[in-house]
C-alpha cells in the first residue's frame, strides 16, 4: 500500500485509520508496522497470543501510549499530530479497561456523570439524567447510588461501559473487558456489548472470547509478534485460518488440553527472541501446562 | 558401668509441647507483672508523689479562664500550622512528582532542610523576621509567626506522606480519567487527589497529633499573656507556685486533644483495612 493510497482520508465512513504504526518500549518492539482502517458501525475483534501487542495497539488509538512511529486518524483528524486536541478526540472514543478502573470515591451515577459535567460542561441535572439512562441501558438502573466496592466485577464493568457511553462517543474501545471477571459474570458483560454492536456502534475489541468474536465481529484481526498476521470475516479467520500461526494459536485457545510439551515455550521464544524460555520437561507430553 | 547404661537407656528428657511452653511463658509474664505492682505499692509514697506532681489546691488554682485561653491558643496555633502545612505540603508533593527537574530538586532540598533541623530553631528564626526585615511583620502576630514556622516544618513531613498517597493511586485511574477527555490537571484534581487524601488521612492525623505537641515550642517566644498556649501557661504558673502541678494539668489538657485524634486514626485505619480486604 502506498502512502498516497492510504492517506485518502476524506471518507466520512472511516472512523479509525492506522498507518504503519510502530511502538517500542525501550529495546522491546511491541508493534512493528500496523496498518488498518475501521469503518463506521464496524465491529472489529483483535485476537492473538499474550504479548502480541493487541492491547498496545488499542491503547495507541486513543494515545494512552504514544506511538514511536506512524500516524493515526480519528474521524479524519490526526490524533498523532502534536497540535491535535487529544482531550476532545478522546471524548469521541469510549474506553473500557480490563481492570474496570472505576473511580472508587464516586458512586456509579457520579462515575458516569463526572466527565459530562467537567469536560462537556453539561448541566449537572442533565448529566445525571444521561448517566441514569446509560446505567439502565446496561441493566443497572437501580444501582446508581452504589459505590464500585459494593458491586461485583461484572456489575463494575457494566458501569464502566455506561460511563464510556454517557459521553455519547462515536466509537468504543474494549481492552480485554472480560479477562478479569469470574466466568459466571462474563455473560452479562458480553450481552451488553452484543446489544451495543447490534445498535450500530463502531467497536474495536481486544478479546480472548472466541465465541463472542465469531458471533459479533464483522472482522477479526489476528495479531502476533507486533504485526497483523491475518484479517477478515470471523468465519474465515477463526473458522478457516490460512496462516499457520493463526491455526496454532486457535488450536491452543479452542482446545488447550491438546498442546504438546514445549510448544508454547517455542512459540514464546520465537515471539520474544533474547528471552530464555524454560526448557521442556523431557519425556512429558503435558509439561507445557506447568509453564502456562 | 551401670551408670553409663542408665544414662544411655534413660528416655530422652521430655520436651514440652509448644502449647505447654506458651502457657508457661504466659504464667511467667503474669508473675513478673504482679511482682512489679507489689514492689511499686510498697516503695512509692503516694502522698509525697502528690505533693510534687499533683497538689489539689494548685490544681484548683490552675483551672480557670486563663487555662481555657491557653487551651484555645494551643488549638489555634496547631490548626493554623496544620492548614498551612497541608496546602504547602500538597504543593511540594506535586512538585516532587513534576516532569520539570528543578521543581523536583527544589522540593527535595526544602524537605531535607526542614526535616533535618529542629523546629524550635525555625521558630526562633522566624520570630526575628521583624528585626531582619525592618517594618516586616507576620499578620495576626504572634499567631502568624507560629503558623508560618510550624507550618513550613510540618509541610516538609506532610509532602512525603502526600506524595506517597498520590503514588498509591493506581495508574489505571489516571488512564480512565484521561480516556474520558479530562486534562492532566483535572484528572489530578478530581480523580487522583481525592483518593490520595483518603489514603493519607490516618498518617496526616498522626501528623496533627505531633503538631499539637510541637505547638508547645511556642514557649520560647516572648509573648503577651493573651498569646500563651498550654505549655507556656503551665510553666509560668509552675514557676510562681514553685511546683510542677500546673504543667501536669497542662499535659493532661494535651491528652484531651490528642487521645480522641489517635482513637480516630485507629478507627479510620481499621475501616480502610476492611475496605481493601
Amino acid at each position: 500500500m502506498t502512502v498516497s493510497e492510504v492517506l485518502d482520508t476524506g471518507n466520512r465512513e472511516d472512523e479509525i485509520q492506522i498507518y504503519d504504526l510502530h511502538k517500542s518500549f525501550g529495546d522491546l518492539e511491541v508493534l512493528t508496522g500496523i496498518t488498518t482502517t475501521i469503518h463506521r458501525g464496524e465491529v472489529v475483534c483483535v485476537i492473538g497470543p499474550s504479548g502480541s501487542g493487541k492491547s498496545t495497539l488499542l491503547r495507541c488509538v486513543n494515545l494512552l501510549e504514544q506511538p514511536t512511529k506512524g500516524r493515526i486518524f480519528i474521524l479524519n483528524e490526526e490524533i498523532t499530530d502534536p497540535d491535535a486536541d487529544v482531550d476532545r478526540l478522546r471524548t469521541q472514543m469510549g474506553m473500557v479497561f480490563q481492570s474496570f478502573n472505576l473511580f472508587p470515591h464516586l458512586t456509579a451515577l457520579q462515575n458516569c456523570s463526572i466527565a459530562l459535567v467537567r469536560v462537556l460542561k453539561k448541566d449537572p441535572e442533565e448529566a445525571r439524567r444521561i448517566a441514569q439512562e446509560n446505567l439502565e441501558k446496561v441493566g443497572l438502573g437501580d444501582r446508581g447510588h452504589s459505590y464500585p466496592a459494593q458491586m461485583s466485577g461484572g456489575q463494575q464493568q457494566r458501569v464502566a461501559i455506561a460511563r464510556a457511553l454517557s459521553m455519547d462517543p462515536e466509537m468504543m474501545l474494549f481492552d480485554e473487558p472480560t479477562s478479569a471477571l469470574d466466568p459466571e459474570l462474563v455473560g452479562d458483560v458480553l450481552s451488553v456489548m452484543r446489544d451495543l454492536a447490534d445498535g450500530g456502534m463502531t467497536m474495536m475489541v481486544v478479546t480472548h472470547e472466541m465465541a463472542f468474536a465469531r458471533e459479533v465481529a464483522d472482522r477479526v484481526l489476528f495479531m502476533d509478534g507486533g504485526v497483523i498476521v491475518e484479517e477478515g470475516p470471523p468465519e474465515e479467520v477463526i473458522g478457516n485460518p490460512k496462516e499457520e500461526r493463526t491455526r496454532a494459536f486457535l488450536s491452543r485457545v479452542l482446545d488447550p488440553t491438546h498442546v504438546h510439551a514445549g510448544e508454547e515455550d517455542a512459540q514464546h521464544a520465537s515471539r520474544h527472541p533474547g528471552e530464555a524460555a524454560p526448557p521442556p520437561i523431557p519425556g512429558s507430553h503435558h509439561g507445557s501446562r506447568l509453564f502456562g | 558401668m551401670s551408670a553409663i547404661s542408665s544414662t544411655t537407656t534413660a528416655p530422652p528428657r521430655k520436651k514440652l509441647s509448644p502449647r505447654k511452653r506458651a502457657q508457661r511463658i504466659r504464667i511467667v509474664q503474669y508473675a513478673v507483672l504482679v511482682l512489679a505492682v507489689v514492689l511499686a505499692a510498697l516503695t512509692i509514697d503516694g502522698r509525697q508523689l502528690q505533693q510534687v506532681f499533683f497538689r489539689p489546691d494548685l490544681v484548683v488554682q490552675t483551672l480557670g479562664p486563663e487555662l481555657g485561653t491557653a487551651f484555645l491558643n494551643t488549638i489555634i496555633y496547631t490548626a493554623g500550622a496544620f492548614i498551612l502545612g497541608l496546602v504547602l505540603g500538597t504543593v511540594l508533593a506535586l512538585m516532587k512528582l513534576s516532569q520539570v527537574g528543578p521543581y523536583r530538586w527544589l522540593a527535595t532540598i526544602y524537605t531535607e532542610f526542614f526535616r533535618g533541623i529542629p523546629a524550635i530553631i525555625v521558630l526562633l528564626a522566624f520570630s526575628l523576621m521583624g528585626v531582619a526585615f525592618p517594618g516586616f511583620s507576620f499578620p495576626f502576630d504572634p499567631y502568624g509567626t507560629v503558623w508560618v514556622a510550624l507550618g513550613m516544618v510540618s509541610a516538609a513531613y506532610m509532602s512525603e506522606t502526600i506524595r506517597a498517597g498520590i503514588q498509591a493511586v493506581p495508574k489505571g485511574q489516571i488512564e480512565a480519567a484521561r480516556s474520558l477527555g479530562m486534562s492532566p490537571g483535572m484528572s489530578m484534581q478530581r480523580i487522583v487527589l481525592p483518593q490520595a487524601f483518603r489514603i493519607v488521612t490516618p498518617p496526616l492525623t498522626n501528623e496533627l497529633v505531633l503538631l499539637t505537641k510541637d505547638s508547645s515550642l511556642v514557649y520560647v517566644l516572648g509573648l503577651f499573656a493573651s498569646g500563651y498556649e498550654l505549655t507556656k501557661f503551665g510553666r509560668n504558673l509552675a514557676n510562681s507556685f514553685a511546683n510542677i502541678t500546673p504543667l501536669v494539668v497542662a499535659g493532661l489538657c494535651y491528652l484531651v486533644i490528642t487521645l480522641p485524634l489517635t482513637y480516630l486514626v485507629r478507627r479510620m485505619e481499621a475501616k480502610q483495612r476492611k475496605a481493601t480486604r
Side-chain angles (χ1 to χ4, degrees):
Chain A
M1 233 184 275
T2 66
V3 171
S4 64
E5 215 179 316
V6 296
L7 285 189
D8 173 24
T9 61
N11 193 344
R12 285 203 50 221
E13 296 300 304
D14 294 344
E15 302 237 316
I16 306 173
Q17 292 150 290
I18 303 168
Y19 299 116
D20 194 30
L21 178 65
H22 289 250
K23 173 67 186 175
S24 343
F25 295 101
D27 286 339
L28 183 66
E29 287 190 68
V30 178
L31 299 177
T32 52
I34 303 278
T35 300
T36 192
T37 300
I38 292 170
H39 305 280
R40 173 160 306 195
E42 201 178 17
V43 177
V44 175
C45 284
V46 185
I47 62 171
S50 66
S52 60
K54 50 194 195 306
S55 281
T56 306
L57 169 64
L58 195 76
R59 292 162 58 82
C60 279
V61 168
N62 71 352
L63 233 59
L64 284 182
E65 300 290 353
Q66 184 71 40
T68 318
K69 195 183 137 201
R71 308 174 74 180
I72 298 170
F73 292 79
I74 304 299
L75 301 165
N76 298 320
E77 209 171 316
E78 183 172 1
I79 196 170
T80 42
D81 182 337
D83 295 329
D85 186 349
V86 177
D87 288 344
R88 185 175 51 77
L89 284 173
R90 279 178 177 148
T91 64
Q92 307 281 331
M93 301 180 263
M95 175 98 175
V96 177
F97 299 87
Q98 180 178 351
S99 49
F100 327 141
N101 296 353
L102 287 183
F103 306 132
H105 61 301
L106 302 179
T107 64
L109 264 177
Q110 290 168 330
N111 262 281
C112 296
S113 62
I114 184 167
L116 286 172
V117 177
R118 300 288 163 198
V119 180
L120 299 185
K121 308 291 177 203
K122 291 230 192 276
D123 172 69
E125 254 324 292
E126 198 197 347
R128 233 188 83 94
R129 188 183 55 72
I130 296 173
Q132 179 64 31
E133 243 169 50
N134 283 292
L135 282 177
E136 273 158 24
K137 216 179 275 181
V138 299
L140 292 171
D142 55 337
R143 299 302 303 271
H145 296 286
S146 303
Y147 284 90
Q150 299 165 328
M151 287 186 265
S152 75
Q155 289 171 332
Q156 288 188 51
Q157 191 60 300
R158 277 143 68 200
V159 173
I161 294 173
R163 174 174 71 179
L165 288 177
S166 293
M167 301 294 282
D168 193 21
E170 283 289 322
M171 65 201 85
M172 290 282 287
L173 310 175
F174 292 87
D175 187 5
E176 302 197 23
T178 57
S179 296
L181 296 178
D182 289 339
E184 78 270 24
L185 303 176
V186 168
D188 289 339
V189 172
L190 289 184
S191 81
V192 167
M193 290 169 64
R194 195 178 294 120
D195 290 347
L196 266 184
D198 291 344
M201 177 65 80
T202 311
M203 289 163 65
M204 187 168 176
V205 186
V206 171
T207 187
H208 290 295
E209 302 287 339
M210 291 305 141
F212 176 81
R214 196 192 275 251
E215 180 197 345
V216 177
D218 299 307
R219 182 154 52 105
V220 171
L221 303 186
F222 172 70
M223 284 182 66
D224 194 9
V227 295
I228 297 173
V229 175
E230 189 168 353
E231 67 177 299
E235 52 272 19
E236 279 176 29
V237 177
I238 298 177
N240 185 20
K242 286 183 205 56
E243 298 288 332
E244 178 52 40
R245 274 195 280 180
T246 319
R247 270 200 290 270
F249 169 74
L250 286 170
S251 74
R252 269 179 295 145
V253 172
L254 299 176
D255 193 2
T257 54
H258 283 202
V259 179
H260 295 297
E263 197 171 289
E264 274 182 8
D265 307 325
Q267 297 259 355
H268 184 84
S270 68
R271 284 198 306 277
H272 303 282
E275 275 179 52
I281 298 175
S284 161
H285 291 286
H286 303 285
S288 64
R289 299 304 297 161
L290 297 174
F291 297 114
Chain B
M1 184 69 186
S2 66
I4 290 169
S5 70
S6 79
T7 51
T8 49
T9 56
R13 194 169 156 245
K14 214 171 153 192
K15 262 194 172 163
L16 283 174
S17 74
R19 210 191 311 170
K20 268 263 161 53
R21 249 178 76 87
Q23 195 185 21
R24 291 224 175 148
I25 290 172
R26 248 194 329 270
I27 290 170
V28 170
Q29 284 175 350
Y30 275 114
V32 169
L33 185 66
V34 169
L35 200 69
V37 170
V38 169
L39 268 177
L42 288 177
T43 52
I44 291 171
D45 180 347
R47 286 183 62 86
Q48 179 65 22
L49 207 64
Q50 199 179 32
Q51 280 301 310
V52 175
F53 290 112
F54 210 69
R55 262 174 60 190
D57 56 321
L58 294 186
V59 171
V60 171
Q61 289 192 54
T62 306
L63 299 174
E66 288 87 2
L67 179 71
T69 310
F71 189 88
L72 194 65
N73 276 335
T74 289
I75 290 178
I76 292 173
Y77 287 131
T78 307
F82 185 75
I83 291 167
L84 198 82
L86 196 61
V87 173
L88 189 57
T90 306
V91 173
L92 284 167
L94 291 174
M95 282 170 73
K96 279 178 193 170
L97 297 170
S98 165
Q99 308 274 339
V100 183
Y103 279 140
R104 289 199 303 272
W105 307 331
L106 278 176
T108 307
I109 291 168
Y110 179 97
T111 308
E112 295 306 323
F113 182 79
F114 280 99
R115 282 202 304 188
I117 58 174
I120 197 166
I121 291 176
V122 179
L123 200 58
L124 280 171
F126 274 95
S127 71
L128 294 176
M129 280 298 173
V131 185
F133 303 98
F136 175 85
S137 80
F138 288 104
F140 308 113
D141 207 55
Y143 297 105
T145 313
V146 176
W147 288 340
V148 170
L150 290 183
M152 283 179 77
V153 173
S154 69
Y157 290 95
M158 286 198 236
S159 70
E160 277 299 293
T161 308
I162 296 169
R163 180 192 55 76
I166 291 173
Q167 285 178 322
V169 176
K171 205 166 152 258
Q173 291 291 312
I174 296 181
E175 290 183 350
R178 299 302 310 276
S179 78
L180 289 167
M182 292 191 194
S183 66
M186 191 188 287
S187 309
M188 182 56 80
Q189 186 198 342
R190 298 282 165 192
I191 304 301
V192 177
L193 283 183
Q195 294 182 53
F197 275 106
R198 203 159 292 201
I199 295 169
V200 298
T201 302
L204 283 187
T205 311
N206 271 329
E207 181 63 31
L208 183 57
V209 170
L210 294 178
L211 203 54
T212 307
K213 294 184 291 174
D214 274 357
S215 72
S216 66
L217 298 174
V218 170
Y219 85 87
V220 298
L221 302 182
L223 291 170
F224 294 114
S226 64
Y228 285 3
E229 43 68 65
L230 285 168
T231 303
K232 181 89 176 176
F233 165 80
R235 260 174 77 97
N236 278 11
L237 269 190
N239 281 341
S240 59
F241 293 153
N243 186 287
I244 203 175
T245 300
L247 260 178
V248 173
V249 173
L252 293 176
C253 288
Y254 281 105
L255 284 179
V256 171
I257 302 173
T258 55
L259 280 184
L261 286 175
T262 44
Y263 172 73
L264 203 67
V265 171
R266 214 169 320 139
R267 282 280 300 272
M268 285 188 293
E269 280 174 343
K271 213 172 147 193
Q272 274 188 3
R273 259 198 305 280
K274 225 164 134 188
T276 52
R277 195 167 44 200

